[in-house]
Amino acid sequence: MSTFVRRIPEGDNRERNVCADCGHIAYENPKVVVGSVVVAGEQVLMCRRAIEPRRGFWTLPAGYLELGETLEEGAAREAAEEANAEIELDGILGVFSIARIGQVQVIFRGRFKDHTAPRFGAGPESLEVALFSWDRIPWQEIAFPSVHWALNAWRRQGMSTLGAPAGNPADDRRGVHPMIPPRSLGAEDGL
Amino acid sequence: MSTFVRRIPEGDNRERNVCADCGHIAYENPKVVVGSVVVAGEQVLMCRRAIEPRRGFWTLPAGYLELGETLEEGAAREAAEEANAEIELDGILGVFSIARIGQVQVIFRGRFKDHTAPRFGAGPESLEVALFSWDRIPWQEIAFPSVHWALNAWRRQGMSTLGAPAGNPADDRRGVHPMIPPRSLGAEDGL
């Protein structure tokens, strides 16, 4: 096994994990999460998580971008994997920073490729997948704060032409609150 | 030294580098580049690279997002490191995928904190830093295609209220062309 030591590599300005044997620098980088708010009429597609963290809670089809993918390809793949849904994207709803866990999230607005008959189902990482109108969204069982942020961005934009993407909300500019603040739960959050 | 083998981990659907000794999965993820088009009046701030790749060519202040940073913090840090510039950001100009090299780029529009007297200078990774009007941008010596994309996005938006961010151009939707196509060089590119 190689041993890593914390050291500032030459030409750098912060400590990295450097292999004591070979000098290999193991950079740890933020990760990109891509996902989508898939809209069918007045409803939005959500997935109940079959995996940790937050098993049993509701989220949007989203996950880590893979090497060699574009953001759009990643978002479409996640909808296919987690919700068995074939979708197309029309723009970016939100770009969020979750500094606490080193994530950047890019959330698109999407729709089903077949507008006339939305088809979806639970992929291996989902317990169930369903369409919800705004009032029926299971607000008490949302998996992550950023799911709220993306849903709120959809609520503000509706299906009108997309403008500037939403960013982090004013009460969590850096994405450091692990929990969803109670006052942003439910329909009483000012929307 | 540990030995890595290519294997599909349980619950995954693609090959990863897995340590043959301990089973550690070394995920390789796309990286996030953050940067900015820093505008002073009609001019834009550019840096001539002191490091490879593309040493001697011109770029925007931009670099890898670090763990624990927000996108905005990363973009401001890069302007400070590469151009000794204190800036503030007002929104996202472009979100680009460079699938060829596993990058996502988020480029902001920014301005100098001190509007009255822009101050800047070459940081350790820059040979020189300068403000250019559109017609004086060294189009033949641009470091990367995405620098063109970001500059074009600025040209389209000017200083008006930012709308939907630019994405990859139509002739490189996936970000796979390593070189800047000749026809996008210079002022004759239809802008």
Side-chain angles (χ1 to χ4, degrees):
Chain A
M1 296 289 294
S2 32
T3 305
F4 284 87
V5 295
R6 297 291 291 179
R7 201 168 70 201
I8 300 177
E10 193 184 328
D12 202 341
N13 56 12
R14 61 183 72 200
E15 284 193 348
R16 312 287 179 182
N17 291 317
V18 182
C19 178
D21 295 330
C22 71
H24 172 79
I25 305 165
Y27 288 100
E28 294 177 287
N29 297 105
K31 290 190 178 66
V32 181
V33 167
V34 280
S36 55
V37 173
V38 181
V39 182
E42 300 286 305
Q43 297 186 301
V44 60
L45 185 70
M46 298 190 71
C47 308
R48 200 153 75 86
R49 292 174 62 84
I51 54 172
E52 296 295 347
R54 301 290 275 168
R55 185 174 195 279
F57 287 77
W58 291 88
T59 188
L60 299 167
Y64 290 121
L65 184 68
E66 296 280 358
L67 276 182
E69 277 183 337
T70 65
L71 290 163
E72 290 83 355
E73 289 164 353
R77 175 183 51 74
E78 289 292 341
E81 288 181 0
E82 299 188 351
N84 290 327
E86 274 193 72
I87 66 165
E88 51 195 26
L89 306 167
D90 70 351
I92 296 175
L93 261 182
V95 178
F96 307 119
S97 297
I98 323 282
R100 183 178 64 87
I101 51 174
Q103 270 188 14
V104 168
Q105 299 196 357
V106 179
I107 308 295
F108 290 83
R109 188 174 66 186
R111 54 181 174 243
F112 291 92
K113 265 189 186 157
D114 183 346
H115 302 247
T116 56
R119 271 193 300 267
F120 55 86
E125 297 186 1
S126 304
L127 295 172
E128 57 180 313
V129 174
L131 287 170
F132 293 104
S133 61
W134 181 260
D135 294 339
R136 297 292 180 92
I137 290 171
W139 294 109
Q140 306 305 318
E141 297 164 29
I142 299 289
F144 310 110
S146 56
V147 175
H148 275 266
W149 306 345
L151 289 170
N152 286 344
W154 165 55
R155 181 71 163 177
R156 279 192 296 269
Q157 292 270 354
M159 289 314 285
S160 58
T161 304
L162 286 165
N168 285 43
D171 60 1
D172 195 7
R173 282 279 172 232
R174 307 193 66 255
V176 293
H177 299 321
M179 303 298 290
I180 300 162
R183 67 172 186 73
S184 75
L185 291 174
E188 64 276 31
D189 62 0
L191 291 163
Chain B
M1 296 289 295
S2 31
T3 305
F4 284 87
V5 295
R6 296 291 292 178
R7 201 169 70 204
I8 300 177
E10 193 184 327
D12 202 341
N13 55 13
R14 61 184 73 200
E15 283 194 349
R16 311 288 180 182
N17 291 318
V18 181
C19 178
D21 294 331
C22 72
H24 172 78
I25 304 165
Y27 287 100
E28 293 176 289
N29 296 106
K31 291 190 177 66
V32 181
V33 167
V34 280
S36 56
V37 172
V38 181
V39 182
E42 300 287 306
Q43 296 185 300
V44 61
L45 184 72
M46 297 189 72
C47 308
R48 201 153 75 86
R49 291 173 63 82
I51 54 171
E52 296 294 349
R54 301 289 274 169
R55 186 175 196 277
F57 287 76
W58 290 89
T59 190
L60 299 167
Y64 290 120
L65 184 69
E66 296 280 358
L67 276 182
E69 277 183 337
T70 66
L71 289 163
E72 290 83 355
E73 290 164 352
R77 175 183 52 73
E78 289 292 342
E81 288 181 359
E82 299 188 350
N84 291 326
E86 274 193 72
I87 66 165
E88 51 194 28
L89 306 167
D90 71 350
I92 296 175
L93 261 181
V95 179
F96 307 119
S97 297
I98 323 280
R100 184 177 63 88
I101 51 174
Q103 269 187 15
V104 168
Q105 298 196 356
V106 179
I107 308 296
F108 290 83
R109 190 174 65 185
R111 54 181 175 242
F112 291 91
K113 266 190 185 154
D114 183 346
H115 302 248
T116 56
R119 271 193 300 269
F120 56 87
E125 297 186 359
S126 303
L127 294 172
E128 58 180 313
V129 174
L131 287 170
F132 293 103
S133 62
W134 181 260
D135 294 338
R136 297 291 180 92
I137 289 171
W139 293 109
Q140 306 305 318
E141 297 163 30
I142 298 289
F144 310 110
S146 56
V147 175
H148 275 266
W149 307 346
L151 289 170
N152 286 343
W154 166 55
R155 182 71 162 177
R156 278 191 297 270
Q157 292 271 353
M159 291 312 287
S160 58
T161 304
L162 286 165
N168 285 44
D171 61 1
D172 195 6
R173 282 279 172 235
R174 307 193 66 255
V176 293
H177 299 321
M179 303 297 289
I180 300 161
R183 66 172 187 71
S184 75
L185 290 174
E188 62 276 30
D189 62 358
L191 290 163

